[in-house]
Amino acid sequence: MNLIIMGAPGAGKGTQAQIISEKLGIPTISTGDILRGAIAAGTELGNSAKSYMDRGELVPDDVVIGIVRQYLESECCKDGFLLDGFPRSIEQAEALQKFGVKIDAVLAIEVDDDKIVERMGGRRVCPGCGASYNLKYKPPRVPGRCDRCSAELYARSDDNPETVRTRLATYHSQTEPVKKFYAERGLLVSVDGNNGIENTSGLLQKALSRLTEKDDTAEE
């Protein structure tokens, strides 16, 4: 399946994308991870993107579109993929459509803004393997250390409350219209993400099961 997962910063897209990716055996294409990796490596792309991300603003479309197109044309995406963090604007959605890529469904995780601010204040990230934790909802087994590689966890600079609210405002004004874009095409599936990882995962799995059954029926 070719899927897109959407939601505000801190809605749990990364965690749910990993679960879906493993279950369906398709790669996750996370533009956020790609950009943060470029920043850590000090590449030209990373330096260009850093100032935007630090302010909670979107990286320019031409940069992000180029990255995504390169991945979609790679061999690893031939049997399906899950886009996480793209498209974030109508322009990006239209660019994806122009690629001729068929999207089977757009999964939107809905979480209240106040809960997102609370969640992101407790987020901790591993600098080694990129694993993400939350001090309240998904704490590491050993405080301050990654479960996978034992590296010391850190709080991202863009997780402070002021920046989070700026990112949320950007999301509501620039990204939420993308949901309408896909709703008009009958592709949007929204689930409630306010009640924790397991509950959200269960709702997403039910939605995917219904989509699979619909595809099977259509083929018959």
Side-chain angles (χ1 to χ4, degrees), residues 25-139:
I26 57 177
T28 297
I29 304 171
S30 172
T31 52
D33 288 346
I34 293 170
L35 291 171
R36 282 189 288 273
I39 290 172
T43 65
E44 183 177 351
L45 169 63
N47 292 332
S48 174
K50 187 176 187 303
S51 61
Y52 293 94
M53 295 177 69
D54 284 347
R55 295 195 300 268
E57 298 176 2
L58 296 180
V59 177
D61 283 346
D62 58 341
V63 176
V64 181
I65 289 169
I67 293 173
V68 173
R69 183 168 191 173
Q70 181 180 11
Y71 271 74
L72 292 181
E73 292 175 348
S74 67
E75 185 71 13
C76 69
C77 292
K78 68 176 184 178
D79 295 323
F81 57 80
L82 175 61
L83 281 171
D84 173 10
F86 183 95
R88 288 184 174 179
S89 66
I90 294 295
E91 291 76 15
Q92 290 181 2
E94 291 175 341
L96 184 60
Q97 194 172 48
K98 290 178 182 177
F99 294 165
V101 177
K102 177 181 179 295
I103 299 298
D104 295 300
V106 178
L107 308 173
I109 303 174
E110 308 292 350
V111 182
D112 298 337
D113 283 5
D114 288 343
K115 186 171 286 291
I116 284 177
V117 173
E118 175 192 352
R119 283 184 184 179
M120 295 185 76
R123 181 161 65 174
R124 297 296 181 269
V125 181
C126 175
C129 66
S132 181
Y133 301 87
N134 187 283
L135 299 182
K136 180 177 180 180
Y137 300 101
K138 186 187 174 184

Side-chain angles (χ1 to χ4, degrees), residues 111 115 119 192-200 203:
V111 182
K115 186 171 286 291
R119 283 184 184 179
D192 184 351
N194 283 291
N195 298 311
I197 294 173
E198 291 185 3
N199 182 270
T200 304
L203 293 173

